[in-house]
Amino acid sequence: MMTTGFVVAIDGPAGAGKSTVAKLVAEELGYAYIDTGAMYRAVTLKLINTGTAFSPEAVGRIARGMHISFKPDGKVNRVFADGLEITEAIRSTAVTDAVSRVAALGAVREAMVAQQRRMGQEGNVVLDGRDIGTVVFPQAGCKVFLTASVDERARRRYEELKAKGQTVDLEQIKHDIAVRDKKDSERELAPLKQAEDAVLVDTSALTIDQVVATILKLVRERQ
Ligand code: DC
């Protein structure tokens, strides 16, 4: 698929800092930001809220019938499904626990990839996810694979949940992250994998500002 403007693809495992960084990079460049993980979460939320029994056909139908959109608002990237705001709701534990199963379905991926391509077709856009550089926009002008050690990703998640006042167990978080990595990397369709022409950025020992600066430099070299 051809785009007129520039596309920045940021892929990587859960907790590497993709959405924080992608949002800042988009802001700095004056580009739109598409959080593709939020889209798979939106489908999962609708499945839960409508009490639909899990079947590939039923979830595929939900995915095809949904319109997902984003609206940046200060520090927050607001997410809407068919006009209703779901920014907070898609971060619930129920959604997080079920989303891998939903994202593994071909019919769901087909519907989401089509929406992502439509939203990104004019370019000047940053997308983050698992398969942006490999499947959604393989011709993206700049591809980054953002990663961090499991320990560091677990520590970040622990701090985030603690700041929200939740009681959390670091070992449990580490375990959950490792399980999700395995599911995302080993699934049959569009598994999490670094594109050959993606630049690997390990964020374990970097600040958010350093990661953003690294990506902006790569983008400017390629524009
Ligand atoms: O990045 P996240 O935690 O919000 O992603 C939610 C789920 O969606 C996660 O299980 C991986 C999956 N996902 C995907 O399969 N493809 C994408 N492009 C983005 C996310």
Side-chain angles (χ1 to χ4, degrees):
M1 151 174 282
M2 290 306 289
T3 50
T4 39
F6 198 82
V7 175
V8 182
I10 303 179
D11 290 304
K18 290 188 305 291
S19 48
T20 308
V21 164
K23 190 175 173 298
L24 291 168
V25 167
E27 229 170 75
E28 200 61 42
L29 295 167
Y31 285 9
Y33 164 47
I34 300 169
D35 174 352
T36 66
M39 298 174 70
Y40 292 97
R41 287 173 179 272
V43 176
T44 310
L45 178 70
K46 186 154 179 188
L47 177 75
I48 295 172
N49 283 351
T50 53
T52 311
F54 188 97
S55 80
E57 295 73 31
V59 190
R61 210 171 310 120
I62 288 178
R64 283 191 298 277
M66 273 180 91
H67 176 73
I68 302 161
S69 59
F70 298 97
K71 199 160 121 198
D73 179 10
K75 278 190 181 323
V76 191
N77 183 39
R78 296 195 183 280
V79 189
F80 299 83
D82 302 321
L84 280 180
E85 180 160 11
I86 51 166
T87 313
E88 293 293 328
I90 57 169
R91 304 291 156 194
S92 71
T93 314
V95 169
T96 303
D97 287 347
V99 66
S100 286
R101 220 172 145 210
V102 168
L105 297 174
V108 172
R109 302 206 69 84
E110 221 172 89
M112 293 302 111
V113 169
Q115 278 200 34
Q116 289 153 19
R117 288 184 177 150
R118 254 197 318 275
M119 286 194 270
Q121 67 187 351
E122 283 168 17
N124 292 353
V125 68
V126 179
L127 296 101
D128 78 2
R130 306 292 192 284
D131 61 341
I132 310 304
T134 50
V135 175
V136 185
F137 284 108
Q139 80 293 8
C142 179
K143 297 184 191 177
V144 175
F145 195 81
L146 213 61
T147 186
S149 65
V150 172
D151 282 358
E152 178 57 21
R153 287 188 281 138
R155 194 194 61 77
R156 289 175 190 171
R157 182 79 186 134
Y158 176 82
E159 295 299 337
E160 197 181 306
L161 292 173
K162 218 172 67 178
K164 284 189 192 164
Q166 299 183 22
T167 2
V168 278
D169 174 25
L170 185 60
E171 286 311 311
Q172 182 65 44
I173 295 177
K174 238 183 253 183
H175 171 79
D176 292 348
I177 288 181
V179 169
R180 202 132 80 95
D181 278 2
K182 197 165 145 62
K183 273 195 204 153
D184 289 345
S185 314
E186 291 181 354
R187 72 171 176 224
E188 208 170 308
L189 295 171
L192 170 66
K193 139 171 150 245
Q194 185 179 345
E196 268 175 29
D197 51 350
V199 178
L200 178 70
V201 178
D202 186 330
T203 70
S204 303
L206 299 177
T207 64
I208 291 167
D209 286 351
Q210 286 171 325
V211 179
V212 171
T214 306
I215 297 175
L216 286 174
K217 187 161 170 276
L218 290 172
V219 171
R220 291 188 172 124
E221 281 165 9
R222 285 163 171 76
Q223 265 170 336

